[in-house]
Structures are given as C-alpha cells and as structure tokens.
Amino acid sequence: MKYIAPIALLTIANVFMMFAWYGHLKFKSASLWLVIVVSWLIAFVEYCFQVPANRIGSQTFSTAELKTLQEAITLVVFCAFSVLYLKEELKWNYIVGFAFMVIAVFFVFKKW
C-alpha cells in the first residue's frame, strides 16, 4: 500500500504534465502567449499531484529512486499520450531507447 499512493499520484501528475508540455502541439495556430498561459494552468494542477507524490514517496523511496520512478512513469505516459492523443507512431528505435531507460531503473532499484 505504501508504494501505491506515490505511484498513482506520479501517474496522474504525468498525465497533466503531458498536456501542459505537449498538448498544445495539436493547436499550432493558437497564439504562443495563450498556450503558455494554458500550459501554466495545467502545470499548476500537475504540481498539486507531483508535490504530494514526492512528499509521500520520500517516506518509502530515496530521492534517486523517486526521480527514477517518475522518469519511468513519464515514459509510459508519454508513449500512450503520443500515440493516442497526438496520433504519432511509436517507432522501433524509440522503444529500444526507452528499454535502455528501463534497464537504468533496474540498476537504481537493485539492492546491491
């Protein structure tokens, strides 16, 4: 149970982050100032999940583990976001690169 809350909060935060950082790419005709303001508003919501995730997660994980976990979740959310929302292809070389990052997660979490 102590692992579920930070992982769930990090996942929710990352969904908002994807929309804040990349959602505007579907609206390239919108003015830059508008997408910046909207992105900041979305990012505020993202921080409302990210900060508690880190606070709660720090009771279970080291800071390096939290950051690694966040990056791994970001990759999963990004893949889904880019395919489902942006309608972009997930190419084989992206998957290979992401797989190497997953290997990095193993090395961070492995108790040596």
Side-chain angles (χ1 to χ4, degrees), residues 96 98-108:
V96 170
F98 294 161
F100 281 115
M101 292 181 200
V102 170
I103 292 168
V105 172
F106 166 78
F107 281 100
V108 170

Side-chain angles (χ1 to χ4, degrees), residues 21-89:
W21 286 11
Y22 303 109
H24 62 88
L25 296 177
K26 285 186 81 169
F27 306 98
K28 293 183 179 181
S29 62
S31 64
L32 185 57
W33 73 268
L34 179 62
V35 297
I36 290 171
V37 170
V38 171
S39 291
W40 270 95
L41 292 172
I42 296 169
F44 171 76
V45 178
E46 182 252 334
Y47 270 71
C48 289
F49 289 96
Q50 182 75 31
V51 171
N54 287 331
R55 178 69 62 98
I56 295 166
S58 69
Q59 297 169 7
T60 304
F61 302 108
S62 70
T63 307
E65 289 172 335
L66 267 174
K67 181 59 180 168
T68 303
L69 188 59
Q70 189 271 328
E71 293 300 334
I73 292 168
T74 296
L75 285 175
V76 172
V77 172
F78 175 79
C79 289
F81 181 85
S82 65
V83 170
L84 299 174
Y85 183 77
L86 295 177
K87 307 293 185 204
E88 293 185 357
E89 181 183 355

Side-chain angles (χ1 to χ4, degrees), residues 7-20:
I7 292 171
L9 290 168
L10 285 171
T11 302
I12 294 166
N14 271 279
V15 170
F16 281 101
M17 182 182 71
M18 288 303 144
F19 280 98

